[in-house]
PDB file of all heavy atoms in Angstrom:
ATOM      1  N   ASP A  48     -75.238 -35.868  10.307  1.00 90.00           N
ATOM      2  CA  ASP A  48     -76.614 -35.663  10.298  1.00 90.00           C
ATOM      3  C   ASP A  48     -77.492 -36.908  10.311  1.00 90.00           C
ATOM      4  O   ASP A  48     -78.715 -36.894  10.582  1.00 90.00           O
ATOM      5  CB  ASP A  48     -77.080 -34.802   9.051  1.00 90.00           C
ATOM      6  CG  ASP A  48     -76.661 -33.375   9.162  1.00 90.00           C
ATOM      7  OD1 ASP A  48     -76.555 -32.890  10.327  1.00 90.00           O
ATOM      8  OD2 ASP A  48     -76.311 -32.773   8.122  1.00 90.00           O
ATOM      9  N   TYR A  49     -76.864 -38.078  10.010  1.00 91.00           N
ATOM     10  CA  TYR A  49     -77.593 -39.297   9.887  1.00 91.00           C
ATOM     11  C   TYR A  49     -77.126 -40.384  10.861  1.00 91.00           C
ATOM     12  O   TYR A  49     -77.727 -41.485  10.924  1.00 91.00           O
ATOM     13  CB  TYR A  49     -77.484 -39.851   8.500  1.00 91.00           C
ATOM     14  CG  TYR A  49     -78.011 -38.820   7.439  1.00 91.00           C
ATOM     15  CD1 TYR A  49     -77.112 -38.110   6.656  1.00 91.00           C
ATOM     16  CD2 TYR A  49     -79.306 -38.723   7.252  1.00 91.00           C
ATOM     17  CE1 TYR A  49     -77.611 -37.237   5.751  1.00 91.00           C
ATOM     18  CE2 TYR A  49     -79.827 -37.823   6.320  1.00 91.00           C
ATOM     19  CZ  TYR A  49     -78.970 -37.129   5.533  1.00 91.00           C
ATOM     20  OH  TYR A  49     -79.447 -36.250   4.589  1.00 91.00           O
ATOM     21  N   TYR A  50     -76.214 -40.069  11.694  1.00 93.00           N
ATOM     22  CA  TYR A  50     -75.708 -41.079  12.666  1.00 93.00           C
ATOM     23  C   TYR A  50     -75.582 -40.436  14.004  1.00 93.00           C
ATOM     24  O   TYR A  50     -74.971 -39.365  14.117  1.00 93.00           O
ATOM     25  CB  TYR A  50     -74.326 -41.589  12.233  1.00 93.00           C
ATOM     26  CG  TYR A  50     -74.227 -42.475  11.004  1.00 93.00           C
ATOM     27  CD1 TYR A  50     -74.408 -41.906   9.772  1.00 93.00           C
ATOM     28  CD2 TYR A  50     -74.146 -43.862  11.134  1.00 93.00           C
ATOM     29  CE1 TYR A  50     -74.389 -42.725   8.664  1.00 93.00           C
ATOM     30  CE2 TYR A  50     -74.099 -44.679  10.077  1.00 93.00           C
ATOM     31  CZ  TYR A  50     -74.268 -44.099   8.797  1.00 93.00           C
ATOM     32  OH  TYR A  50     -74.251 -44.899   7.667  1.00 93.00           O
ATOM     33  N   ALA A  51     -76.031 -41.110  15.037  1.00 95.00           N
ATOM     34  CA  ALA A  51     -75.673 -40.774  16.386  1.00 95.00           C
ATOM     35  C   ALA A  51     -74.216 -41.224  16.641  1.00 95.00           C
ATOM     36  O   ALA A  51     -73.727 -42.211  16.018  1.00 95.00           O
ATOM     37  CB  ALA A  51     -76.645 -41.439  17.330  1.00 95.00           C
ATOM     38  N   VAL A  52     -73.554 -40.533  17.425  1.00 97.00           N
ATOM     39  CA  VAL A  52     -72.113 -40.890  17.763  1.00 97.00           C
ATOM     40  C   VAL A  52     -71.945 -40.994  19.261  1.00 97.00           C
ATOM     41  O   VAL A  52     -72.468 -40.161  20.008  1.00 97.00           O
ATOM     42  CB  VAL A  52     -71.124 -39.800  17.196  1.00 97.00           C
ATOM     43  CG1 VAL A  52     -69.716 -40.209  17.691  1.00 97.00           C
ATOM     44  CG2 VAL A  52     -71.225 -39.853  15.678  1.00 97.00           C
ATOM     45  N   GLY A  53     -71.311 -42.028  19.674  1.00 98.00           N
ATOM     46  CA  GLY A  53     -71.004 -42.215  21.055  1.00 98.00           C
ATOM     47  C   GLY A  53     -69.616 -42.364  21.361  1.00 98.00           C
ATOM     48  O   GLY A  53     -68.819 -42.793  20.535  1.00 98.00           O
ATOM     49  N   TRP A  54     -69.219 -42.068  22.566  1.00 98.00           N
ATOM     50  CA  TRP A  54     -67.862 -42.300  23.174  1.00 98.00           C
ATOM     51  C   TRP A  54     -68.042 -43.402  24.151  1.00 98.00           C
ATOM     52  O   TRP A  54     -68.904 -43.360  25.034  1.00 98.00           O
ATOM     53  CB  TRP A  54     -67.315 -41.071  23.867  1.00 98.00           C
ATOM     54  CG  TRP A  54     -66.767 -40.058  22.941  1.00 98.00           C
ATOM     55  CD1 TRP A  54     -67.404 -38.933  22.464  1.00 98.00           C
ATOM     56  CD2 TRP A  54     -65.473 -40.091  22.275  1.00 98.00           C
ATOM     57  NE1 TRP A  54     -66.554 -38.237  21.634  1.00 98.00           N
ATOM     58  CE2 TRP A  54     -65.360 -38.871  21.457  1.00 98.00           C
ATOM     59  CE3 TRP A  54     -64.360 -40.873  22.337  1.00 98.00           C
ATOM     60  CZ2 TRP A  54     -64.268 -38.564  20.752  1.00 98.00           C
ATOM     61  CZ3 TRP A  54     -63.248 -40.575  21.616  1.00 98.00           C
ATOM     62  CH2 TRP A  54     -63.235 -39.417  20.804  1.00 98.00           C
ATOM     63  N   PHE A  55     -67.124 -44.443  24.082  1.00 98.00           N
ATOM     64  CA  PHE A  55     -67.107 -45.529  24.908  1.00 98.00           C
ATOM     65  C   PHE A  55     -65.742 -45.667  25.505  1.00 98.00           C
ATOM     66  O   PHE A  55     -64.706 -45.101  24.922  1.00 98.00           O
ATOM     67  CB  PHE A  55     -67.495 -46.790  24.190  1.00 98.00           C
ATOM     68  CG  PHE A  55     -68.915 -46.819  23.674  1.00 98.00           C
ATOM     69  CD1 PHE A  55     -69.231 -46.145  22.517  1.00 98.00           C
ATOM     70  CD2 PHE A  55     -69.937 -47.553  24.342  1.00 98.00           C
ATOM     71  CE1 PHE A  55     -70.586 -46.159  22.029  1.00 98.00           C
ATOM     72  CE2 PHE A  55     -71.246 -47.543  23.882  1.00 98.00           C
ATOM     73  CZ  PHE A  55     -71.548 -46.839  22.688  1.00 98.00           C
ATOM     74  N   ARG A  56     -65.575 -46.430  26.600  1.00 98.00           N
ATOM     75  CA  ARG A  56     -64.224 -46.657  27.162  1.00 98.00           C
ATOM     76  C   ARG A  56     -64.172 -48.086  27.653  1.00 98.00           C
ATOM     77  O   ARG A  56     -65.152 -48.630  28.088  1.00 98.00           O
ATOM     78  CB  ARG A  56     -63.885 -45.619  28.225  1.00 98.00           C
ATOM     79  CG  ARG A  56     -64.734 -45.693  29.485  1.00 98.00           C
ATOM     80  CD  ARG A  56     -64.433 -44.561  30.442  1.00 98.00           C
ATOM     81  NE  ARG A  56     -65.234 -44.621  31.654  1.00 98.00           N
ATOM     82  CZ  ARG A  56     -65.223 -43.665  32.546  1.00 98.00           C
ATOM     83  NH1 ARG A  56     -64.461 -42.586  32.408  1.00 98.00           N
ATOM     84  NH2 ARG A  56     -65.965 -43.812  33.604  1.00 98.00           N
ATOM     85  N   GLN A  57     -62.923 -48.506  27.662  1.00 98.00           N
ATOM     86  CA  GLN A  57     -62.674 -49.844  28.250  1.00 98.00           C
ATOM     87  C   GLN A  57     -61.356 -49.797  29.024  1.00 98.00           C
ATOM     88  O   GLN A  57     -60.277 -49.462  28.503  1.00 98.00           O
ATOM     89  CB  GLN A  57     -62.592 -50.937  27.195  1.00 98.00           C
ATOM     90  CG  GLN A  57     -62.426 -52.367  27.724  1.00 98.00           C
ATOM     91  CD  GLN A  57     -62.697 -53.404  26.625  1.00 98.00           C
ATOM     92  OE1 GLN A  57     -62.530 -53.163  25.439  1.00 98.00           O
ATOM     93  NE2 GLN A  57     -63.091 -54.588  27.078  1.00 98.00           N
ATOM     94  N   ALA A  58     -61.529 -50.022  30.326  1.00 97.00           N
ATOM     95  CA  ALA A  58     -60.367 -50.063  31.227  1.00 97.00           C
ATOM     96  C   ALA A  58     -59.899 -51.487  31.318  1.00 97.00           C
ATOM     97  O   ALA A  58     -60.646 -52.477  31.055  1.00 97.00           O
ATOM     98  CB  ALA A  58     -60.796 -49.560  32.613  1.00 97.00           C
ATOM     99  N   PRO A  59     -58.540 -51.709  31.674  1.00 93.00           N
ATOM    100  CA  PRO A  59     -58.034 -53.017  31.804  1.00 93.00           C
ATOM    101  C   PRO A  59     -58.860 -53.947  32.651  1.00 93.00           C
ATOM    102  O   PRO A  59     -59.250 -53.544  33.766  1.00 93.00           O
ATOM    103  CB  PRO A  59     -56.662 -52.794  32.350  1.00 93.00           C
ATOM    104  CG  PRO A  59     -56.297 -51.400  31.918  1.00 93.00           C
ATOM    105  CD  PRO A  59     -57.566 -50.694  31.963  1.00 93.00           C
ATOM    106  N   GLY A  60     -59.281 -55.086  32.172  1.00 95.00           N
ATOM    107  CA  GLY A  60     -59.998 -56.013  33.015  1.00 95.00           C
ATOM    108  C   GLY A  60     -61.441 -55.739  33.169  1.00 95.00           C
ATOM    109  O   GLY A  60     -62.163 -56.423  33.876  1.00 95.00           O
ATOM    110  N   LYS A  61     -61.929 -54.702  32.491  1.00 97.00           N
ATOM    111  CA  LYS A  61     -63.324 -54.327  32.605  1.00 97.00           C
ATOM    112  C   LYS A  61     -64.050 -54.381  31.232  1.00 97.00           C
ATOM    113  O   LYS A  61     -63.320 -54.319  30.235  1.00 97.00           O
ATOM    114  CB  LYS A  61     -63.455 -52.984  33.197  1.00 97.00           C
ATOM    115  CG  LYS A  61     -62.979 -52.870  34.624  1.00 97.00           C
ATOM    116  CD  LYS A  61     -63.311 -51.539  35.254  1.00 97.00           C
ATOM    117  CE  LYS A  61     -62.883 -51.440  36.755  1.00 97.00           C
ATOM    118  NZ  LYS A  61     -63.198 -50.132  37.319  1.00 97.00           N
ATOM    119  N   GLU A  62     -65.324 -54.490  31.278  1.00 97.00           N
ATOM    120  CA  GLU A  62     -66.037 -54.425  29.986  1.00 97.00           C
ATOM    121  C   GLU A  62     -66.118 -52.978  29.472  1.00 97.00           C
ATOM    122  O   GLU A  62     -66.036 -51.972  30.224  1.00 97.00           O
ATOM    123  CB  GLU A  62     -67.507 -54.921  30.294  1.00 97.00           C
ATOM    124  CG  GLU A  62     -67.575 -56.382  30.613  1.00 97.00           C
ATOM    125  CD  GLU A  62     -69.029 -56.903  30.738  1.00 97.00           C
ATOM    126  OE1 GLU A  62     -69.939 -56.064  30.576  1.00 97.00           O
ATOM    127  OE2 GLU A  62     -69.184 -58.136  30.861  1.00 97.00           O
ATOM    128  N   ARG A  63     -66.325 -52.956  28.190  1.00 97.00           N
ATOM    129  CA  ARG A  63     -66.481 -51.591  27.511  1.00 97.00           C
ATOM    130  C   ARG A  63     -67.825 -50.989  27.990  1.00 97.00           C
ATOM    131  O   ARG A  63     -68.834 -51.713  28.046  1.00 97.00           O
ATOM    132  CB  ARG A  63     -66.426 -51.732  25.998  1.00 97.00           C
ATOM    133  CG  ARG A  63     -66.351 -50.400  25.301  1.00 97.00           C
ATOM    134  CD  ARG A  63     -65.977 -50.728  23.845  1.00 97.00           C
ATOM    135  NE  ARG A  63     -66.930 -51.613  23.219  1.00 97.00           N
ATOM    136  CZ  ARG A  63     -66.731 -52.124  21.972  1.00 97.00           C
ATOM    137  NH1 ARG A  63     -65.638 -51.875  21.311  1.00 97.00           N
ATOM    138  NH2 ARG A  63     -67.713 -52.899  21.448  1.00 97.00           N
ATOM    139  N   GLU A  64     -67.797 -49.693  28.234  1.00 97.00           N
ATOM    140  CA  GLU A  64     -68.969 -49.039  28.699  1.00 97.00           C
ATOM    141  C   GLU A  64     -69.199 -47.691  27.976  1.00 97.00           C
ATOM    142  O   GLU A  64     -68.222 -47.050  27.532  1.00 97.00           O
ATOM    143  CB  GLU A  64     -68.896 -48.736  30.232  1.00 97.00           C
ATOM    144  CG  GLU A  64     -67.752 -47.816  30.616  1.00 97.00           C
ATOM    145  CD  GLU A  64     -67.718 -47.411  32.078  1.00 97.00           C
ATOM    146  OE1 GLU A  64     -68.617 -47.853  32.815  1.00 97.00           O
ATOM    147  OE2 GLU A  64     -66.834 -46.711  32.460  1.00 97.00           O
ATOM    148  N   GLY A  65     -70.448 -47.271  27.853  1.00 97.00           N
ATOM    149  CA  GLY A  65     -70.726 -46.035  27.241  1.00 97.00           C
ATOM    150  C   GLY A  65     -70.442 -44.880  28.223  1.00 97.00           C
ATOM    151  O   GLY A  65     -70.575 -44.954  29.435  1.00 97.00           O
ATOM    152  N   VAL A  66     -69.962 -43.770  27.625  1.00 98.00           N
ATOM    153  CA  VAL A  66     -69.558 -42.552  28.396  1.00 98.00           C
ATOM    154  C   VAL A  66     -70.441 -41.461  28.056  1.00 98.00           C
ATOM    155  O   VAL A  66     -71.026 -40.730  28.968  1.00 98.00           O
ATOM    156  CB  VAL A  66     -68.070 -42.238  28.132  1.00 98.00           C
ATOM    157  CG1 VAL A  66     -67.727 -40.966  28.905  1.00 98.00           C
ATOM    158  CG2 VAL A  66     -67.139 -43.339  28.521  1.00 98.00           C
ATOM    159  N   ALA A  67     -70.625 -41.095  26.814  1.00 98.00           N
ATOM    160  CA  ALA A  67     -71.409 -39.985  26.315  1.00 98.00           C
ATOM    161  C   ALA A  67     -71.811 -40.281  24.899  1.00 98.00           C
ATOM    162  O   ALA A  67     -71.173 -40.966  24.134  1.00 98.00           O
ATOM    163  CB  ALA A  67     -70.633 -38.723  26.372  1.00 98.00           C
ATOM    164  N   CYS A  68     -72.959 -39.727  24.550  1.00 98.00           N
ATOM    165  CA  CYS A  68     -73.422 -39.847  23.112  1.00 98.00           C
ATOM    166  C   CYS A  68     -74.201 -38.619  22.710  1.00 98.00           C
ATOM    167  O   CYS A  68     -74.661 -37.885  23.597  1.00 98.00           O
ATOM    168  CB  CYS A  68     -74.290 -41.102  22.962  1.00 98.00           C
ATOM    169  SG  CYS A  68     -75.839 -41.187  23.817  1.00 98.00           S
ATOM    170  N   ILE A  69     -74.249 -38.372  21.444  1.00 97.00           N
ATOM    171  CA  ILE A  69     -74.983 -37.268  20.893  1.00 97.00           C
ATOM    172  C   ILE A  69     -75.861 -37.750  19.657  1.00 97.00           C
ATOM    173  O   ILE A  69     -75.326 -38.588  18.899  1.00 97.00           O
ATOM    174  CB  ILE A  69     -74.050 -36.123  20.451  1.00 97.00           C
ATOM    175  CG1 ILE A  69     -74.777 -34.907  20.060  1.00 97.00           C
ATOM    176  CG2 ILE A  69     -73.026 -36.620  19.413  1.00 97.00           C
ATOM    177  CD1 ILE A  69     -73.885 -33.664  19.996  1.00 97.00           C
ATOM    178  N   SER A  70     -77.010 -37.269  19.566  1.00 96.00           N
ATOM    179  CA  SER A  70     -77.991 -37.720  18.638  1.00 96.00           C
ATOM    180  C   SER A  70     -77.622 -37.241  17.229  1.00 96.00           C
ATOM    181  O   SER A  70     -76.810 -36.262  17.084  1.00 96.00           O
ATOM    182  CB  SER A  70     -79.416 -37.335  18.943  1.00 96.00           C
ATOM    183  OG  SER A  70     -79.463 -35.834  18.931  1.00 96.00           O
ATOM    184  N   SER A  71     -78.160 -37.801  16.146  1.00 94.00           N
ATOM    185  CA  SER A  71     -77.901 -37.322  14.835  1.00 94.00           C
ATOM    186  C   SER A  71     -78.401 -35.909  14.532  1.00 94.00           C
ATOM    187  O   SER A  71     -77.881 -35.229  13.753  1.00 94.00           O
ATOM    188  CB  SER A  71     -78.464 -38.290  13.851  1.00 94.00           C
ATOM    189  OG  SER A  71     -79.926 -38.451  13.936  1.00 94.00           O
ATOM    190  N   SER A  72     -79.448 -35.509  15.274  1.00 93.00           N
ATOM    191  CA  SER A  72     -79.920 -34.163  15.184  1.00 93.00           C
ATOM    192  C   SER A  72     -79.085 -33.177  15.946  1.00 93.00           C
ATOM    193  O   SER A  72     -79.157 -32.003  15.739  1.00 93.00           O
ATOM    194  CB  SER A  72     -81.361 -33.999  15.694  1.00 93.00           C
ATOM    195  OG  SER A  72     -81.386 -34.279  17.055  1.00 93.00           O
ATOM    196  N   GLY A  73     -78.247 -33.695  16.825  1.00 93.00           N
ATOM    197  CA  GLY A  73     -77.409 -32.866  17.665  1.00 93.00           C
ATOM    198  C   GLY A  73     -78.132 -32.202  18.876  1.00 93.00           C
ATOM    199  O   GLY A  73     -77.534 -31.558  19.611  1.00 93.00           O
ATOM    200  N   SER A  74     -79.391 -32.548  18.948  1.00 94.00           N
ATOM    201  CA  SER A  74     -80.230 -31.933  20.018  1.00 94.00           C
ATOM    202  C   SER A  74     -80.234 -32.640  21.326  1.00 94.00           C
ATOM    203  O   SER A  74     -80.690 -32.092  22.358  1.00 94.00           O
ATOM    204  CB  SER A  74     -81.727 -31.794  19.483  1.00 94.00           C
ATOM    205  OG  SER A  74     -82.271 -33.081  19.288  1.00 94.00           O
ATOM    206  N   THR A  75     -79.797 -33.913  21.316  1.00 96.00           N
ATOM    207  CA  THR A  75     -79.855 -34.717  22.538  1.00 96.00           C
ATOM    208  C   THR A  75     -78.437 -35.231  22.846  1.00 96.00           C
ATOM    209  O   THR A  75     -77.750 -35.767  21.960  1.00 96.00           O
ATOM    210  CB  THR A  75     -80.809 -35.865  22.292  1.00 96.00           C
ATOM    211  OG1 THR A  75     -82.132 -35.382  22.041  1.00 96.00           O
ATOM    212  CG2 THR A  75     -80.867 -36.733  23.561  1.00 96.00           C
ATOM    213  N   THR A  76     -78.022 -35.205  24.120  1.00 97.00           N
ATOM    214  CA  THR A  76     -76.842 -35.830  24.591  1.00 97.00           C
ATOM    215  C   THR A  76     -77.209 -36.578  25.823  1.00 97.00           C
ATOM    216  O   THR A  76     -78.213 -36.339  26.545  1.00 97.00           O
ATOM    217  CB  THR A  76     -75.782 -34.744  24.962  1.00 97.00           C
ATOM    218  OG1 THR A  76     -76.288 -33.834  25.931  1.00 97.00           O
ATOM    219  CG2 THR A  76     -75.367 -34.012  23.749  1.00 97.00           C
ATOM    220  N   ASN A  77     -76.501 -37.677  26.051  1.00 97.00           N
ATOM    221  CA  ASN A  77     -76.648 -38.490  27.224  1.00 97.00           C
ATOM    222  C   ASN A  77     -75.284 -38.835  27.825  1.00 97.00           C
ATOM    223  O   ASN A  77     -74.245 -38.924  27.032  1.00 97.00           O
ATOM    224  CB  ASN A  77     -77.356 -39.787  26.938  1.00 97.00           C
ATOM    225  CG  ASN A  77     -78.812 -39.603  26.728  1.00 97.00           C
ATOM    226  OD1 ASN A  77     -79.473 -38.858  27.406  1.00 97.00           O
ATOM    227  ND2 ASN A  77     -79.397 -40.314  25.786  1.00 97.00           N
ATOM    228  N   TYR A  78     -75.200 -39.021  29.153  1.00 98.00           N
ATOM    229  CA  TYR A  78     -73.971 -39.255  29.815  1.00 98.00           C
ATOM    230  C   TYR A  78     -74.142 -40.415  30.781  1.00 98.00           C
ATOM    231  O   TYR A  78     -75.179 -40.505  31.487  1.00 98.00           O
ATOM    232  CB  TYR A  78     -73.464 -37.991  30.579  1.00 98.00           C
ATOM    233  CG  TYR A  78     -73.206 -36.815  29.612  1.00 98.00           C
ATOM    234  CD1 TYR A  78     -74.077 -35.910  29.305  1.00 98.00           C
ATOM    235  CD2 TYR A  78     -71.910 -36.684  29.079  1.00 98.00           C
ATOM    236  CE1 TYR A  78     -73.869 -34.834  28.514  1.00 98.00           C
ATOM    237  CE2 TYR A  78     -71.616 -35.604  28.223  1.00 98.00           C
ATOM    238  CZ  TYR A  78     -72.643 -34.712  27.890  1.00 98.00           C
ATOM    239  OH  TYR A  78     -72.367 -33.716  27.090  1.00 98.00           O
ATOM    240  N   GLU A  79     -73.085 -41.157  30.835  1.00 97.00           N
ATOM    241  CA  GLU A  79     -72.970 -42.176  31.932  1.00 97.00           C
ATOM    242  C   GLU A  79     -72.858 -41.441  33.288  1.00 97.00           C
ATOM    243  O   GLU A  79     -72.304 -40.327  33.299  1.00 97.00           O
ATOM    244  CB  GLU A  79     -71.712 -43.091  31.644  1.00 97.00           C
ATOM    245  CG  GLU A  79     -71.535 -44.135  32.632  1.00 97.00           C
ATOM    246  CD  GLU A  79     -70.520 -43.817  33.656  1.00 97.00           C
ATOM    247  OE1 GLU A  79     -69.753 -42.859  33.439  1.00 97.00           O
ATOM    248  OE2 GLU A  79     -70.530 -44.367  34.774  1.00 97.00           O
ATOM    249  N   ASP A  80     -73.367 -41.986  34.344  1.00 97.00           N
ATOM    250  CA  ASP A  80     -73.446 -41.282  35.584  1.00 97.00           C
ATOM    251  C   ASP A  80     -72.089 -40.704  36.023  1.00 97.00           C
ATOM    252  O   ASP A  80     -72.098 -39.494  36.534  1.00 97.00           O
ATOM    253  CB  ASP A  80     -73.965 -42.208  36.708  1.00 97.00           C
ATOM    254  CG  ASP A  80     -75.506 -42.472  36.556  1.00 97.00           C
ATOM    255  OD1 ASP A  80     -76.170 -41.736  35.822  1.00 97.00           O
ATOM    256  OD2 ASP A  80     -76.041 -43.423  37.195  1.00 97.00           O
ATOM    257  N   SER A  81     -71.070 -41.374  35.913  1.00 95.00           N
ATOM    258  CA  SER A  81     -69.778 -40.863  36.484  1.00 95.00           C
ATOM    259  C   SER A  81     -69.216 -39.747  35.550  1.00 95.00           C
ATOM    260  O   SER A  81     -68.362 -38.940  36.036  1.00 95.00           O
ATOM    261  CB  SER A  81     -68.696 -41.885  36.595  1.00 95.00           C
ATOM    262  OG  SER A  81     -68.293 -42.375  35.345  1.00 95.00           O
ATOM    263  N   ALA A  82     -69.713 -39.572  34.363  1.00 97.00           N
ATOM    264  CA  ALA A  82     -69.286 -38.571  33.440  1.00 97.00           C
ATOM    265  C   ALA A  82     -70.130 -37.247  33.623  1.00 97.00           C
ATOM    266  O   ALA A  82     -69.657 -36.198  33.117  1.00 97.00           O
ATOM    267  CB  ALA A  82     -69.375 -39.054  32.025  1.00 97.00           C
TER     268      ALA A  82
END
């Protein structure tokens, strides 16, 4: 209820990138374009 949580990924040789996240209220989600 007090923290947004995100999923990130890192492929070999690449920088870590955001994939998806959900707000602390649970009402908002965001996705990286390929996801």
Side-chain angles (χ1 to χ4, degrees):
D48 286 331
Y49 299 103
Y50 289 76
V52 174
W54 282 98
F55 296 80
R56 66 185 178 187
Q57 188 167 22
K61 295 188 177 181
E62 293 187 354
R63 188 169 58 192
E64 63 177 356
V66 176
C68 63
I69 186 165
S70 64
S71 60
S72 68
S74 63
T75 300
T76 58
N77 286 319
Y78 297 90
E79 181 264 339
D80 284 347
S81 71

